[in-house]
Amino acid sequence: MKQQANQMRPGQVIEYEGRRWTVLKIQIITPGKGGAFIQVEMRDIKTGTKKDDRWRTADTVERLMTEDKEFTYSYADGENLVLMDPETFEQTVVPGAILGDRLPFLEENMTVSVKLIEGDPVAMELPQHVTLEVAEADPVVKGQTASSSYKPALLSNGVKTLVPPFITAGEKIVVKTEDGSYVERAKG
């Protein structure tokens, strides 16, 4: 199925140069002169090699149709992730690299959506948000304006993010799995 390059999203599978690629990250860049273009980081499904490429927004790419299937994450086995089919209880092994930078957000017993092409796992999507504990947070600097200044914090999964000044170590917060950005304080 053809689609415009600016319609690509992380987790999609495209065919490019005769190979299948999973889109890991996209960035739309608008230079001062000329038209906008899309910078795409993608991973070859068979070899696992990463590649950066760019397209103009008007370019078209071949998006492959995938079948989505829900799995429950069980555990990591070296570089691989072991998933369980909640209906048949069969185990499926996928490479950890399938998640790219989002791997630290994967938690035991999390329900994930795996994209399959002809039964082979090619991409995995996590829930949009996860709740994590703040392991460390810098102290608030007096006189900082609360509206615009975020401070660095380290989450319990080892990911660094920026949080509002009122967040302290030990609090649970909701973050986006796509980029680790702060959403809100966890309720309850």
Side-chain angles (χ1 to χ4, degrees), residues 115-128:
K115 294 187 181 303
L116 304 164
I117 292 181
E118 296 162 7
D120 294 331
V122 293
M124 184 166 23
E125 288 183 7
L126 299 176
Q128 277 194 306

Side-chain angles (χ1 to χ4, degrees), residues 23-132:
V23 177
L24 300 175
K25 283 185 194 169
I26 66 153
Q27 183 180 8
I28 297 177
I29 300 169
T30 318
K33 263 186 168 174
F37 60 89
I38 292 91
Q39 179 79 31
V40 179
E41 183 182 311
M42 52 193 181
R43 186 177 42 76
D44 187 319
I45 291 168
K46 287 229 182 323
T47 64
T49 54
K50 280 187 181 177
K51 177 178 182 163
D52 283 342
D53 222 321
R54 53 176 60 173
W55 284 275
R56 292 189 317 264
T57 53
D59 290 346
T60 57
V61 293
E62 185 67 31
R63 180 177 170 197
L64 298 175
M65 295 314 293
T66 56
E67 172 195 351
D68 288 357
K69 191 164 168 69
E70 299 280 309
F71 285 92
T72 304
Y73 170 64
S74 296
Y75 60 92
D77 182 15
E79 297 285 309
N80 294 321
L81 307 173
V82 179
L83 307 175
M84 184 186 67
D85 185 327
E87 294 165 16
T88 64
F89 301 105
E90 284 181 33
Q91 290 189 335
T92 302
V93 177
V94 298
I98 201 167
L99 278 173
D101 295 344
R102 299 170 299 151
L103 186 60
F105 296 104
L106 187 63
E107 298 172 346
E108 276 187 35
N109 299 321
M110 181 182 274
T111 300
V112 295
S113 176
V114 177
K115 294 187 181 303
L116 304 164
I117 292 181
E118 296 162 7
D120 294 331
V122 293
M124 184 166 23
E125 288 183 7
L126 299 176
Q128 277 194 306
H129 301 109
V130 292
T131 302
L132 294 166

Side-chain angles (χ1 to χ4, degrees), residues 104-105 132-139 151-164 167-173 175 180:
F105 296 104
L132 294 166
E133 188 174 317
V134 176
E136 297 173 13
D138 288 357
K151 62 182 183 179
L154 182 68
L155 301 173
S156 56
N157 65 352
V159 173
K160 291 181 177 167
T161 190
L162 293 172
V163 296
I167 299 293
T168 58
E171 283 192 74
K172 290 194 180 292
I173 62 169
V175 294

